[in-house]
Amino acid sequence: MNVEITLVGAEFVQRFSATRRGARLARRLAVHQLDGWGVPYGSELSEDAAVIVSELAANAVLHGHVQGRDFELRLVPLADTLRIEVSDARGERGPEQRGLRPGAESGYGLHLVEALATSWGVTDRAVGKTVWAELPIGHH
């Protein structure tokens, strides 16, 4: 199914408490926002984005948590790509892109991100880091 996001240039930005509840809410609001942009609930793009948001938000809560700090979700529709960004306050502790091993205790969720996304990475911020992933819009 070809999906066309109608609000290219728009973006969704929201902060969430760095808790499991915050991570669940991030996923829920992400698919709601995508639906508002023309990506139907249950479509492949919506489901793939939900998995990526879930994994990145869970990592922000489990590994990027700093007491009293939230994490931020940003969805940015570009011409043919949906960019998903999750930022947290812990810059010194980022995901390992090298050495991801199937079956390892940590990094399993990043295997899912790597399998679904066309690209992903980590960008430093003034405070903390942003882990991002990109999905193709037109191929879902």
Side-chain angles (χ1 to χ4, degrees):
M1 164 162 73
N2 260 348
V3 172
E4 183 177 327
I5 292 182
T6 56
L7 296 175
V8 173
E11 63 180 50
F12 171 82
V13 181
Q14 180 70 50
R15 290 187 178 269
F16 299 92
S17 63
T19 62
R20 284 188 273 177
R21 183 177 182 195
R24 285 191 307 270
L25 184 57
R27 175 188 172 125
R28 195 170 309 139
L29 289 181
V31 296
H32 180 74
Q33 181 63 53
L34 289 173
D35 186 66
W37 284 341
V39 179
Y41 292 109
S43 67
E44 186 177 349
L45 179 56
S46 178
E47 294 294 321
D48 289 353
V51 169
I52 290 173
V53 169
S54 291
E55 295 303 332
L56 298 184
N59 283 347
V61 168
L62 293 172
H63 306 296
H65 178 72
V66 172
Q67 188 66 30
R69 298 287 186 120
D70 296 337
F71 73 90
E72 180 181 275
L73 169 65
R74 180 181 303 264
L75 304 175
V76 184
L78 304 169
D80 59 355
T81 302
L82 173 64
R83 185 174 175 100
I84 300 166
E85 300 178 354
V86 174
S87 302
D88 63 54
R90 180 158 284 168
E92 75 279 3
R93 191 169 176 190
E96 281 294 317
Q97 287 182 275
R98 288 168 286 169
L100 292 178
R101 298 181 320 274
E105 276 296 311
S106 64
Y108 174 72
L110 293 176
H111 282 290
L112 293 173
V113 172
E114 191 170 48
L116 295 172
T118 54
S119 60
W120 73 279
V122 182
T123 306
D124 291 332
R125 295 170 34 125
V127 174
K129 67 183 171 306
T130 298
V131 182
W132 56 268
E134 294 182 343
L135 287 170
I137 291 174
H139 299 101
H140 281 82

